[in-house]
Structures are given as C-alpha cells and as structure tokens.
Amino acid sequence: MNHAAKIGMNQQPTENTKAAKSASVAANGIHISKAVDIPPLKPEDTVQPLKLQTTDEIEKAQLTAPPFVIDDLLVAGLTVLAAPPKIGKSWFCLDMGTCIAEGRSFLGRSTHQGDVLYLDLESRDYRVQNRMKTAALRGSKHLHIAFKASTLGDGNLLTQITQVHTQIPQLNTVIIDTLGRAKGEQRRNLDAYSADTKMLAPLQEWALSNGIAVVVVTHERKLNGKTADSLDDPFEVITGSNAQFGVADTAWLLLGPRKEAEKQLMVAGRDMESQTMTLTFDAKRCRWEYLGDSEALAERALRLAYNSSPIVKTIKGLLEGDNHTSVKIDSSGLCNEVAIRFGCCSLTPTQMGRAIRDVSNQLYEYDKIVCILPTAGGRNGRLYSFRYETISPLESEQCTMIS
C-alpha cells in the first residue's frame, strides 16, 4: 500500500479534522503542503425557522394595505423617482414635502398630513431658502431638512432615519435626494444588481414595517443613445441596475423634452393602478402643476381635432342638409364639397381617401355615423357611403348620390 493510500485510511472525517489541500501532484502520489480548518456546521437552533401561513389563514385574517400619503400616487413603502438632471427634481421634492407637511393637495391629489424628513444631500440651506421665496412656499414646523447624512452602503443612514422616527413618531414621509449621494461605497465582491438589492432591501422593509413612504431620487440614463420615450419599457432608463426598479414598491418616471414645459409622470406600483400624468413646470413660480390624466388629455385633444375637422363638418353637413338620410360620394366630390364650405381644400382626392379612412372610426364613436369604405371591385365603385346608425341599410340604398 502506498503512502497516499495510508493517509486516506488513517484520516477519518470529523469536525476537528484538518482537511488536506493539495498544492502539487507528484508522480508517486499526493504531497500535503497546507492544511486548513473546516468550519463546524451551524447548529439548527441558530437558523431562524420559516414563518408559515396557509392561504386559509391569510383569507380569514384582518389585513390592511399600506397607507397612502398622497392619494393614488404615494403609498407607504419604497418609491423611486427618476428624472433627467436639472429638470426640476429638487423643486418637485421641496413642493411635495411642504404639501404633505401642511396637508395640502399635491398635483391635484389629496395628501395625508404628517411630518416629513427631507435629506437634501445635493444642496445647502441658502438654496432652500431661495427656492422657498421663489416658489412662495411658507415654512413648516413639520418639514425637517438635513443636508448631510451617513450612507446606505454601511447601514448607518437607515439607523439615522430610525432615530428621527423615534424622535418624531408622526413621521410619514422620507425623501432622499439623491440616491447617488446616499449610496456610499459598495462592496467590491458584489455585482451591481446584488449591491443595489443589499442596499435598498432593508430600506424598503423598514418603510413597509413602519407604514412610511420613502422616496429616493435618482437620474435617468441613455441606453445605447436611446431615451425613455423610444423604449418599449421606459423604466429601463432608471440609473443603476434593474434592482432599483425591482426592489421599489412604486416607480415614478418623469419624461419629456427638456425644452418643452409639459412632461409625463409615469407611475407604476404594486399597490396602485399604473397611470401617466401630464405635468407642466411653471418657470416663473418654479412649481409643478397637474394638467390632467395623459390618456384623458389625449382623448380631449383628439375630440377637439375631430370637432374642428373640415372633413367631419362637411360629412355631417351633407347628412343634415336637405333631409339626406344617407350620402354616397367619392373622394374627389368630397374635396369639392369641403372647398365650397371652407373656401378651399388642400387635399388631393388620394389624400382625402386616406383622411376618410383615418376618421371613419371616430365618426361612429362620436356621432354614430356609419362609414362604408369602397372595396376593390365592389358595386359602389369608389364611392364612400355615410349614414347615421339609426338609418337601416335598406333605407340607405335610397341615399343621395353626390358627384
């Protein structure tokens, strides 16, 4: 039996056994050059057991959802606000903090009054004073600002926030402006996703456990030169790893061309409906104002364009004039009718045909006007047929033909 075999027989694995680590392999066997300690197994009683609940228990339990601080916008938990640099994020945060502290509405939504901790880590007191004067914001005893703080990376910032909450039990909002300043040094042996998760998860858990809304402000980034407006998922532009969006309970994304006053605030969250709000920044007052729900505004603009359209007015005029129950007309004839009513028509017959197709669905949606488009080889040739929904197809056969 060779020397290597004897070693294998004499060494029995126990907790205190020195494990052999090979440094080199020789032709006649393994030579032990270094021994390391094998750490003892952790006793089972030191591992926190899982807390199990059955779905039956959950179904019968009296549970409450996280409270809203701003109705349908800001809820307890972790919220990430992302926006391009120098677009007005600090004005946004100061105004929001003031409104919550005083119980005033913000962006058209009611707030639930409470004390606010605002960590304005990129500013100083004289700037806040100037902003308050410019935006006509009155001071509040319930809005507490700090310009220096520890970091999330070493966990000391969460300790400081907890201390403030102990001193001010009425605290319901914490604003960290910006996350980049609050990060601190990250562990070098962690990838970006793991580092962001390790940094933000305790903050998110603390926020939910205490029913407090924590807003962290960060920047947007360009992905291969693309902006958020051109991406299928605009939230991909949030600076940092995807963990920032993944850990957050709610994400706010402020979008829009820098040179234009109107911006879109996209909202996505676990505890609220996704929405897109249209905001504008009043440069004189330096205040963000709510213009309305983006979908409702878009629909309103569409309806205004429809009502003012010369083509729509002409079609409705043809149906309502001389007791016409229905009308058949080609695109060239409709160009002439528009010119008669409005003095001119800038569209060619081909362009008019496209315009009729574009507006056909709206004709029915808004005025219940049925539009039958010409089909290749159809018996009506290139004629467009228009009738109100109340007119039966049989009656429409006796329609007025306009050339």
Side-chain angles (χ1 to χ4, degrees):
M1 184 179 296
N2 62 28
H3 183 61
K6 290 181 180 180
I7 292 176
M9 290 177 61
N10 294 333
Q11 282 191 318
Q12 297 300 321
T14 64
E15 282 190 8
N16 297 321
T17 299
K18 298 290 186 179
K21 183 177 182 180
S22 174
S24 61
V25 179
N28 60 344
I30 300 175
H31 297 280
I32 307 302
S33 61
K34 186 178 180 181
V36 295
D37 288 325
I38 296 179
L41 295 175
K42 184 179 287 187
E44 292 184 4
D45 57 1
T46 65
V47 178
Q48 185 69 27
L50 293 174
K51 181 181 178 180
L52 302 179
Q53 289 179 278
T54 66
T55 53
D56 178 66
E57 292 172 331
I58 293 174
E59 181 185 25
K60 296 175 181 177
Q62 297 295 321
L63 303 174
T64 57
F68 275 92
V69 175
I70 303 175
D71 287 350
D72 300 321
L73 183 60
L74 179 61
V75 67
L78 181 63
T79 295
V80 172
L81 166 60
K86 304 296 185 292
I87 200 174
K89 296 188 297 295
S90 294
W91 294 101
F92 185 100
C93 291
L94 181 60
D95 193 6
M96 177 175 66
T98 302
C99 288
I100 294 171
E102 294 301 305
R104 297 200 306 266
S105 63
F106 179 68
L107 300 181
R109 284 156 169 76
S110 299
T111 64
H112 298 264
Q113 193 277 329
D115 281 72
V116 179
L117 171 61
Y118 180 20
L119 301 179
D120 193 358
L121 304 179
E122 291 190 338
S123 191
R124 291 294 180 267
D125 50 5
Y126 73 91
R127 287 182 186 164
V128 172
Q129 186 182 66
N130 290 336
R131 286 171 183 162
M132 291 174 65
K133 290 179 180 178
T134 303
L137 294 173
R138 297 182 61 184
S140 172
K141 295 181 179 180
H142 301 287
L143 176 56
H144 314 270
I145 300 182
F147 302 99
K148 292 183 179 181
S150 296
T151 64
L152 291 167
D154 57 18
N156 290 336
L157 178 53
L158 184 53
T159 300
Q160 290 178 322
I161 295 173
T162 304
Q163 291 170 344
V164 172
H165 185 215
T166 301
Q167 297 168 3
I168 309 172
Q170 299 80 17
L171 188 74
N172 71 355
T173 306
V174 176
I175 303 170
I176 302 175
D177 184 8
T178 62
L179 180 59
R181 290 293 183 96
K183 268 188 174 184
E185 292 188 6
Q186 304 293 304
R187 291 190 179 183
R188 296 181 180 179
N189 61 337
L190 293 178
D191 60 84
Y193 189 95
S194 299
D196 283 346
T197 300
K198 189 173 184 64
M199 173 185 63
L200 292 174
L203 185 63
Q204 184 253 1
E205 184 178 351
W206 180 89
L208 285 175
S209 298
N210 291 279
I212 292 176
V214 176
V215 180
V216 294
V217 182
T218 188
H219 295 115
E220 294 176 4
R221 58 176 172 168
K222 288 187 177 181
L223 298 175
N224 299 323
K226 294 182 179 180
T227 59
D229 308 73
S230 60
L231 295 172
D232 293 334
D233 182 6
F235 289 97
E236 290 182 16
V237 302
I238 295 177
T239 298
S241 73
N242 291 334
Q244 292 189 21
F245 181 55
V247 173
D249 300 291
T250 308
W252 296 345
L253 190 58
L254 196 56
L255 304 173
R258 184 176 295 278
K259 295 182 179 179
E260 295 182 11
E262 286 191 13
K263 301 288 188 292
Q264 308 298 314
L265 180 64
M266 299 184 66
V267 179
R270 298 186 177 111
D271 299 304
M272 69 181 76
E273 294 287 336
S274 297
Q275 57 183 305
T276 301
M277 303 166 61
T278 298
L279 312 180
T280 185
F281 186 69
D282 186 336
K284 291 183 178 179
R285 298 172 57 241
C286 292
R287 302 279 294 273
W288 287 95
E289 296 178 354
Y290 173 62
L291 297 182
D293 178 83
S294 294
E295 290 186 6
L297 288 174
E299 175 61 28
R300 192 182 309 164
L302 200 63
R303 186 65 181 259
L304 287 173
Y306 172 85
N307 289 335
S308 61
S309 167
I311 298 173
V312 172
K313 289 182 177 180
T314 299
I315 293 171
K316 292 170 70 174
L318 291 172
L319 287 173
E320 294 165 2
D322 298 329
N323 296 320
H324 295 162
T325 57
S326 60
V327 168
K328 288 184 179 180
I329 188 171
D330 61 16
S331 56
S332 179
L334 193 54
C335 285
N336 293 334
E337 291 294 330
V338 170
I340 292 172
R341 285 169 169 76
F342 296 94
C344 68
C345 180
S346 60
L347 301 180
T348 65
T350 300
Q351 292 171 333
M352 177 62 74
R354 295 196 191 102
I356 295 172
R357 284 173 166 80
D358 290 341
V359 81
S360 60
N361 289 334
Q362 293 171 311
L363 283 168
Y364 182 78
E365 181 179 355
Y366 297 146
D367 289 305
K368 293 296 182 279
I369 295 175
V370 178
C371 173
I372 300 177
L373 303 175
T375 57
R379 62 175 180 169
N380 290 327
R382 297 187 178 184
L383 296 176
Y384 294 85
S385 174
F386 302 96
R387 63 176 175 83
Y388 282 105
E389 187 181 37
T390 53
I391 304 300
S392 68
L394 183 61
E395 291 176 291
S396 69
E397 290 296 321
Q398 304 170 355
C399 67
T400 302
M401 191 87 69
I402 298 177
S403 60

